[in-house]
Amino acid sequence: DAKTTQPPSMDCAEGRAANLPCNHSTISGNEYVYWYRQIHSQGPQYIIHGLKNNETNEMASLIITEDRKSSTLILPHATLRDTAVYYCIVKKTGTYKYIFGTGTRLKVLA
Amino acid sequence: GAVVSQHPSRVICKSGTSVKIECRSLDFQATTMFWYRQFPKKSLMLMATSNEGSKATYEQGVEKDKFLINHASLTLSTLTVTSAHPEDSSFYICSATDREDQPQHFGDGTRLSIL
């Protein structure tokens, strides 16, 4: 069973920040949070991951709450090409398996 | 970044034929590869995990004789859908990683249509 809960869909205006929430209230201390996105008819693309500290890379920022029960993926300046389904995944250290939830379908509007 | 190539991207064939899908890691050695299946507007479902040189581990409900997986080298895994039928039509996606603490990198998927 997926260990994450995400809103099914969100809209964001082009050029604005897109904030995608993820609830993982049963997360354990040794479980990482991974974010991927899937553009229509393609394989998922890795975005970012973290354990407890906030992380930033060239694509996005990941904000994890202090209790680690939720996180937010931030795309700072959304473009039309960011329209995709975004998946938040919790993975236990020492294991390989990803369990995909239903994700959030983000639509960036011109 | 790490690149995973999947081939073919699309295949259409008659019921009863077997179809082989290849997954290659182009710039890293993939000690572990994964095969997923995705139905329209649904999420990815893990089918099996394969480690180079050993038998694949299948998820519950996935028929190992139907979906044959071979991971003979550190850069190549294959999925063969044997005696395919229309209900096997789906989007099949592979991923690969070289370490458990590194992200999986996904191929672009194979859309299989069985007539």
Side-chain angles (χ1 to χ4, degrees):
Chain A
D1 294 336
K3 294 183 174 182
T4 62
T5 305
Q6 298 176 253
S9 64
M10 291 180 66
D11 290 344
C12 177
E14 189 178 19
R16 305 297 292 268
N19 296 282
L20 294 102
C22 179
N23 182 288
H24 31 80
S25 58
T26 60
I27 195 169
S28 303
N30 63 349
E31 290 182 316
Y32 280 77
V33 179
Y34 283 76
W35 282 85
Y36 282 78
R37 71 181 183 186
Q38 186 177 25
I39 295 169
H40 182 62
S41 294
Q42 296 181 20
Q45 176 190 23
Y46 167 75
I47 301 173
I48 199 167
H49 74 284
L51 183 62
K52 54 183 178 181
N53 296 324
N54 297 337
E55 302 288 345
T56 295
N57 63 20
E58 65 278 5
M59 288 182 71
S61 294
L62 173 60
I63 309 297
I64 302 175
T65 57
E66 196 166 336
D67 63 8
R68 302 186 67 242
K69 293 186 176 182
S70 65
S71 60
T72 301
L73 179 74
I74 301 173
L75 308 178
H77 305 287
T79 71
L80 298 178
R81 289 163 64 174
D82 292 322
T83 292
V85 178
Y86 287 76
Y87 294 102
C88 167
I89 300 164
V90 166
K91 187 184 84 70
K92 186 177 290 187
T93 305
T95 68
Y96 285 91
K97 190 185 290 191
Y98 286 172
I99 299 175
F100 282 81
T102 52
T104 295
R105 189 172 296 273
L106 175 70
K107 187 184 292 185
V108 180
L109 306 172
Chain B
V3 178
V4 173
S5 172
Q6 194 172 334
H7 178 83
S9 58
R10 177 157 191 135
V11 60
I12 302 171
C13 59
K14 292 182 180 179
S15 186
T17 57
S18 293
V19 179
K20 181 184 281 189
I21 302 168
E22 292 188 350
C23 180
R24 293 180 185 273
S25 58
L26 298 185
D27 53 358
F28 67 101
Q29 293 188 323
T31 51
T32 306
M33 287 184 160
F34 307 85
W35 288 95
Y36 296 83
R37 184 173 182 174
Q38 186 176 33
F39 290 106
K41 297 194 185 298
K42 298 292 185 184
S43 189
L44 281 78
M45 219 167 49
L46 180 65
M47 299 174 67
T49 303
S50 73
N51 292 295
E52 183 263 339
S54 60
K55 288 185 179 179
T57 301
Y58 290 81
E59 294 298 303
Q60 193 172 7
V62 178
E63 298 176 62
K64 61 181 180 182
D65 295 331
K66 175 75 168 174
F67 300 100
L68 301 179
I69 292 170
N70 184 282
H71 190 167
S73 79
L74 284 171
T75 59
L76 174 65
S77 176
T78 60
L79 168 69
T80 301
V81 184
T82 61
S83 186
H85 292 284
E87 59 266 28
D88 299 321
S89 298
S90 192
F91 192 49
Y92 292 88
I93 310 170
C94 72
S95 72
T97 187
D98 56 353
R99 284 166 44 178
E100 169 273 320
D101 62 347
Q102 293 297 310
Q104 293 179 27
H105 296 279
F106 288 79
D108 271 341
T110 297
R111 189 159 302 282
L112 174 63
S113 299
I114 308 298
L115 306 177

